[in-house]
Amino acid sequence: LVKICFFVPLLHPLRKWSLRQTRRGSLGYAEKEIEARQKLVQSLEASDERNSAIIEIASSAVFYVNCEGRIIKVNSAASEIFGYAREELVGRKLTETIIPEAMCDAHERGLQRFLKTGVKRVIGRPIELIGRHVSGHDIPLSVTLEYVEDEMNGPAFIGFLSDLSERKRVEEELRNALDLAEDGNREKSKFLASMSHEIRTPLNAIVGLTDLAISDLPTGRTRDFLELSREAGEYLSAMLGDLLDLAKIEAGRLELNLRPTSPRALIEE
């Protein structure tokens, strides 16, 4: 009992010392936790600044969007393409700004389907869509979406959008030029066919009358001249036939005439 009474006064300062050490340990742990969080925030802020710099220099419009479809961040190219000031886009939903009204329901359904199932139908591959300018006119776009897990903003999407207006304009001009070229080619074919027929008719008459004249002249230089004239007429008639065949080929109406042929005779001709 004496020993116990002797140690009881010693327990009180010991308890105070223990409490002080516990408090110091708790304060030290809290200070370390706060310091660690501050470092993490600074790291995230630095990372965010780097990401912002990368996004800003991108030539495509870049939209950083949360899982609600609300815009968190955009670059200057997005403002140039869609006509909005940056502050007019940040904080608003895509369906309120750059998505045409007719496509809003499909966008919302696709977003909810992905968040529920995780099935990536359009994530990671370029697709062509229509966007809406601030003035109301449509913009053809090439869109590539990526899904990210953001420690600060939670699940999010990054969209890279390129304006296809110039490319579509050039493609339309090329189609029109091709149509004009095909129309000109068809007219040329019609002209060749018409001229071949028009020239062949009097040429056949010349060759036929030349044959009659030759038959009346058994020999002599005149007969030789007429035979040369007939050969020239026949050669010209064959050339007209080739032109007519070319017109038929271009029109897709060539008819093949199969008959026995002597290769030697063809080579000699």
Side-chain angles (χ1 to χ4, degrees):
L1 181 60
V2 174
K3 290 181 179 179
I4 293 174
C5 293
F6 176 77
F7 280 108
V8 167
L10 297 176
L11 291 175
H12 185 66
L14 183 61
R15 185 181 297 112
K16 288 184 178 180
W17 178 84
S18 178
L19 288 173
R20 284 197 298 269
Q21 291 298 108
T22 303
R23 288 171 183 167
R24 287 176 183 174
S26 299
L27 289 173
Y29 176 79
E31 289 174 356
K32 290 181 180 179
E33 182 69 17
I34 292 172
E35 184 180 355
R37 290 183 180 178
Q38 288 176 345
K39 288 182 179 180
L40 178 61
V41 170
Q42 291 173 358
S43 175
L44 289 174
E45 288 176 350
S47 176
D48 189 59
E49 291 176 0
R50 288 195 297 269
N51 292 339
S52 297
I54 294 172
I55 289 174
E56 189 60 32
I57 63 175
S59 58
S60 301
V62 179
F63 282 77
Y64 198 73
V65 183
N66 65 14
C67 60
E68 297 177 356
R70 199 170 296 278
I71 301 169
I72 300 172
K73 188 181 300 180
V74 296
N75 63 350
S76 57
S79 299
E80 295 175 4
I81 291 176
F82 294 97
Y84 288 93
R86 190 175 309 196
E87 56 271 16
E88 293 177 320
L89 291 171
V90 175
R92 299 176 66 184
K93 300 186 73 173
L94 291 173
T95 52
E96 299 172 353
T97 51
I98 68 170
I99 296 180
E101 184 177 354
M103 300 175 61
C104 288
D105 290 341
H107 167 77
E108 291 291 348
R109 289 195 301 270
L111 176 60
Q112 296 304 318
R113 184 190 308 113
F114 171 76
L115 294 175
K116 289 179 180 179
T117 65
V119 177
K120 299 180 180 180
R121 294 187 176 181
V122 297
I123 301 295
R125 61 184 183 88
I127 57 175
E128 290 192 8
L129 295 173
I130 298 297
R132 181 178 61 192
H133 192 269
V134 65
S135 63
H137 69 266
D138 291 341
I139 306 173
L141 300 169
S142 174
V143 181
T144 303
L145 297 176
E146 296 294 343
Y147 178 72
V148 295
E149 292 286 347
D150 191 332
E151 295 181 2
M152 296 183 64
N153 301 303
F157 301 89
I158 300 179
F160 300 89
L161 290 70
S162 300
D163 187 356
L164 301 181
S165 299
E166 181 64 17
R167 195 185 83 180
K168 295 294 184 182
R169 183 188 66 80
V170 172
E171 289 177 352
E172 182 65 21
E173 290 180 355
L174 289 175
R175 280 194 294 269
N176 293 336
L178 181 60
D179 290 340
L180 289 174
E182 290 178 348
D183 290 340
N185 195 43
R186 283 191 291 269
E187 292 300 321
K188 182 195 70 175
S189 299
K190 291 180 181 178
F191 173 77
L192 287 175
S194 175
M195 290 303 297
S196 296
H197 286 294
E198 293 296 329
I199 296 175
R200 180 173 291 182
T201 300
L203 183 60
N204 288 337
I206 293 172
V207 172
L209 293 174
T210 303
D211 281 335
L212 292 175
I214 291 174
S215 63
D216 290 340
L217 296 173
T219 58
R221 293 187 62 190
T222 304
R223 179 185 177 92
D224 294 338
F225 294 153
L226 290 174
E227 287 179 350
L228 290 175
S229 177
R230 182 182 62 185
E231 291 176 1
E234 291 174 347
Y235 179 73
L236 182 58
S237 180
M239 290 184 61
L240 290 174
D242 292 340
L243 287 175
L244 185 58
D245 289 340
L246 178 61
K248 289 180 179 180
I249 291 173
E250 292 178 345
R253 296 179 299 178
L254 179 65
E255 297 178 0
L256 297 179
N257 182 16
L258 302 179
R259 62 181 181 182
T261 305
S262 171
R264 182 182 299 276
L266 288 176
I267 293 173
E268 290 177 351
E269 290 179 2

